[in-house]
Amino acid sequence: MKINIHTFLREFATFKEMARRGEIVQIEDREGKFLFTAVGVRKTLLGAGRGKLIIKGDITGPTLKNSAWKPSL
């Protein structure tokens, strides 16, 4: 997509979202052309482990019996 610098500054949020989706935005002014693109998408910890973590059962409470706790260690 080709745009001028005024449009880019006015609608920056829109073009930032386009770059996140993998599109390249060309910005043209009198001095030259510039490319605006996202370098990389940050992954959250949950997103990085998606499909690799297996949760079995309810993990909202204690996972060990009281006899398994050894506070002296």
Side-chain angles (χ1 to χ4, degrees):
M1 168 177 239
K2 293 181 182 179
I3 59 168
N4 61 25
I5 193 74
H6 179 70
T7 304
F8 178 72
L9 293 175
R10 188 178 60 223
E11 300 178 23
F12 178 75
T14 303
F15 297 120
K16 184 171 69 169
E17 187 59 36
M18 290 173 65
R20 282 188 179 142
R21 288 192 309 253
E23 299 178 41
I24 298 174
V25 179
Q26 288 184 0
I27 306 154
E28 296 180 8
D29 69 354
R30 285 178 258 170
E31 298 169 6
K33 296 180 182 181
F34 304 91
L35 298 178
F36 183 70
T37 183
V39 175
V41 180
R42 291 181 6 183
K43 289 186 177 182
T44 62
L45 183 59
L46 181 60
R50 187 169 307 200
K52 299 175 185 171
L53 301 173
I54 300 171
I55 299 173
K56 295 182 179 180
D58 182 20
I59 60 170
T60 59
T63 56
L64 291 175
K65 299 176 186 176
N66 287 338
S67 61
W69 288 97
K70 297 180 182 177
S72 61
L73 294 178

